[in-house]
Amino acid sequence: MPPRPTILTKRTLDKDLAKITHAEDATKHVLRRLVAPGLGLIFVGLTMIFAGVYMFDHPGAVLVVAAAALAGYMAMNIGANDVTNNVGAAVGARAMTMGQALVIAAIFEVLGATIAGGEVVRTISSNIVDAVQVPQVALGWIMMAALMAAALWIHLATWMNAPVSTTHAIVGAVIGAGIAAVGPEPVNWRVMVEITSSWITSPLIGGLIAAGLLYLVKTLIIYRDDKIAAARRWVPVLVAVMTGSFMAYMVLQLSPTGKFPAFTIILIGIGIGLVSWLIARPLVLAQARDLENRNSSLRVLFRLPLIGSAALLSFAHGANDVSNAVGPLSAIVHSVGIGGGDGSIGHPPLWVMLIGAFGISVGLLLFGPRLIRLVGEEITKLNPMRAYCVALSTAFTVIVASWLGLPVSTTHIAVGSVFGVGFFREWYTRHSKRRIAYVRRRVESFDIDEPDEANVHETRRRYLVRRSHFMTIIAAWIVTVPISAALAAGIYWVMFALFV
């Protein structure tokens, strides 16, 4: 009888180890989703410790520590939802990677918030609901309810992949909580009319400026016979406009009120712009050397200006939108007795500004990439030239708004600029005689048969902006104020019943 063949099988221990290995892999996959929320909770805990150290042995310490936690949570939601508009265009145009965009935005958000964010913070903390007419105890609870309501709504909107206005959310929440607490009388309706009008006009202005810039870029550079020569001439000018406007804004923010008249600030901006033109011109000339006369070559020349404009926009956003997180916190700090005794709310303390600044950056780094892709890639197709027009238009509009002390929505402006570029491309495709002549020259130069009328008609009717995103975003903008106001009113009544 022949011997039985030997059958090689895994030993029991090997099988068990394999099962353990698969279980570990599954556990890592599940826990990976919990890393960002865990780090976010750690940041909120650190804000509470930070505020507790500052407010140690103060009668209102508990209220301020709780408000600091809510402000940190609100700031992270701003970073996750709103900051994405600053760098979305640059990432969508592939001018920089997601990692580079996150680092640049985080750095300049902190700089903008800490250096130039005080003016708009005062608008949020005291100009919407008149702090003089509201009892100090009630003011603290109003701002607590507003912070919680706005943060919850923005968190939900981010989860739904909807870029909403954080400024809409906090202003609506302050109004709702204020009316629930003391009625409509302390609400400064004149300021509200000004802010609301800026919400309506700012995306239109941003879109028009972006469309106008794209028209200039197409006319002066893209549809020229010698594109590279035209770019060497005009790209330094665009850089000078960006730098000059930014420096004029910086002088306005950092100098004492009234020290420089508007004409002097404009002259400073023009002078800095000329200097930046002298610096940028040789750099662009060196970069343009040996480039082919093609549209793809223009992307190389617009890459650095686009990165610069994204940094500028992040700085301006930090200066403008940090108020949405720390404006209520500043009012709460004042309500417990830290500040002037005349009822006015002065410049917020530095530690309050730091909570907002770093909270925005933490939220961006942990939760920002998803909406960055939405704004930069899914609304309309962007290349570096179009993205630069979006970024420069958004930065210019936000800078002017911060100049005037108006808490406009950077989401409205940035997304409005993206829509402006997309809708302008649709119009230009259908109506531009210059583009039609350019296409005919291309057909003749390559000896290609002219396309038939059906193809021409199809080209003219095609959509270059996703209508579904347009309708979703507009709907989110419309419901943000009433939802945040109603939620804040409900939270205030609950807080009043439980703690007051």
Side-chain angles (χ1 to χ4, degrees):
M1 183 175 180
R4 298 176 62 181
T6 302
I7 299 175
L8 298 177
T9 60
K10 285 187 177 181
R11 303 182 62 158
T12 304
L13 180 59
D14 293 339
K15 291 181 179 179
D16 292 340
L17 289 176
K19 293 177 182 178
I20 293 174
T21 301
H22 289 309
E24 288 178 346
D25 291 340
T27 303
K28 290 179 181 178
H29 180 74
V30 172
L31 292 179
R32 191 178 300 137
R33 298 183 179 181
L34 301 178
V35 171
L39 293 175
L41 286 175
I42 291 173
F43 174 77
V44 172
L46 291 175
T47 61
M48 297 176 69
I49 295 173
F50 188 48
V53 171
Y54 183 83
M55 298 293 297
F56 181 73
D57 202 26
H58 193 280
V62 175
L63 181 63
V64 173
V65 169
L70 289 176
Y73 174 51
M74 175 68 174
M76 284 194 297
N77 281 293
I78 294 173
N81 193 291
D82 216 14
V83 181
T84 57
N85 306 305
N86 305 342
V87 295
V91 174
R94 294 177 175 82
M96 54 182 168
T97 65
M98 181 68 71
Q100 292 170 341
L102 293 175
V103 171
I104 290 174
I107 292 172
F108 281 90
E109 285 284 337
V110 172
L111 293 176
T114 53
I115 293 175
E119 180 61 34
V120 184
V121 170
R122 286 193 289 272
T123 300
I124 291 290
S125 59
S126 60
N127 290 352
I128 296 172
V129 175
D130 191 352
V132 177
Q133 300 184 41
V134 178
Q136 293 297 301
V137 175
L139 180 63
W141 291 108
I142 288 171
M143 293 302 175
M144 284 279 288
L147 271 175
M148 183 177 294
L152 289 174
W153 166 243
I154 297 167
H155 191 147
L156 178 62
T158 304
W159 179 75
M160 295 187 300
N161 217 26
V164 299
S165 167
T166 59
T167 308
H168 265 150
I170 193 62
V171 172
V174 170
I175 292 173
I179 292 176
V182 291
E185 290 78 13
V187 177
N188 194 331
W189 296 109
R190 182 185 63 80
V191 172
M192 277 306 305
V193 170
E194 294 176 356
I195 296 174
T196 304
S197 64
S198 71
W199 289 340
I200 298 172
T201 58
S202 59
L204 296 177
I205 294 174
L208 290 173
I209 292 176
L213 289 171
L214 183 58
Y215 175 79
L216 289 176
V217 170
K218 285 180 175 290
T219 303
L220 300 175
I221 300 176
I222 296 176
Y223 289 133
R224 293 290 181 178
D225 293 331
D226 191 343
K227 306 174 191 296
I228 304 302
R232 286 197 297 261
R233 182 182 307 114
W234 289 108
V235 169
V237 174
L238 294 173
V239 173
V241 171
M242 176 186 67
T243 310
S245 61
F246 174 68
M247 292 307 300
Y249 165 75
M250 287 291 293
V251 171
L252 177 72
Q253 289 291 332
L254 299 180
S255 61
T257 304
K259 181 177 182 179
F260 296 106
F263 182 72
T264 302
I265 295 175
I266 293 173
L267 288 180
I268 292 173
I270 293 174
I272 297 297
L274 289 174
V275 173
S276 65
W277 177 81
L278 292 174
I279 296 173
R281 191 167 182 273
L283 296 177
V284 172
L285 290 176
Q287 201 173 21
R289 190 175 298 118
D290 299 328
L291 289 179
E292 296 182 17
N293 189 33
R294 302 169 57 183
N295 284 348
S296 58
S297 300
L298 296 177
R299 301 183 180 188
V300 177
L301 299 180
F302 273 89
R303 182 174 180 270
L304 287 179
L306 181 56
I307 293 174
S309 64
L312 164 62
L313 180 56
S314 296
F315 185 97
H317 178 274
N320 191 81
D321 278 32
V322 70
S323 61
N324 300 336
V326 302
L329 177 58
S330 179
I332 292 169
V333 171
H334 175 82
S335 71
V336 298
I338 300 178
D342 58 353
S344 62
I345 298 177
H347 197 285
L350 178 60
W351 69 272
V352 170
M353 300 299 296
L354 289 176
I355 288 176
F358 285 101
I360 289 174
S361 297
V362 170
L364 171 67
L365 294 172
L366 296 179
F367 308 105
R370 185 171 58 175
L371 287 186
I372 287 177
R373 294 187 183 95
L374 173 70
V375 173
E377 300 175 3
E378 298 180 16
I379 294 177
T380 190
K381 185 177 180 180
L382 296 174
N383 59 25
M385 290 79 78
R386 299 169 197 154
Y388 183 79
C389 296
V390 169
L392 183 57
S393 170
T394 307
F396 182 77
T397 309
V398 172
I399 284 171
V400 172
S402 295
W403 190 332
L404 300 175
L406 292 177
V408 296
S409 168
T410 54
T411 301
H412 283 200
I413 299 170
V415 178
S417 298
V418 174
F419 282 130
V421 164
F423 286 125
F424 172 77
R425 290 178 61 215
E426 288 186 3
W427 176 88
Y428 200 81
T429 300
R430 298 170 187 169
H431 300 96
S432 173
K433 295 180 180 178
R434 180 186 295 275
R435 186 180 186 279
I436 294 172
Y438 172 77
V439 171
R440 291 185 182 278
R441 288 199 304 271
R442 296 270 296 179
V443 169
E444 294 171 358
S445 62
F446 290 100
D447 195 21
I448 302 173
D449 294 335
E450 190 168 346
D452 56 33
E453 288 298 321
N455 288 334
V456 171
H457 177 72
E458 179 63 26
T459 300
R460 289 184 173 181
R461 67 176 292 274
R462 64 177 176 154
Y463 293 140
L464 301 177
V465 177
R466 293 185 65 175
R467 264 50 177 184
S468 60
H469 282 318
F470 178 76
M471 299 305 298
T472 300
I473 291 171
I474 294 299
W477 289 356
I478 292 173
V479 302
T480 292
V481 169
I483 287 179
S484 59
L487 188 58
I491 292 174
Y492 176 83
W493 285 324
V494 171
M495 287 181 173
F496 186 83
L498 292 177
F499 302 111
V500 180

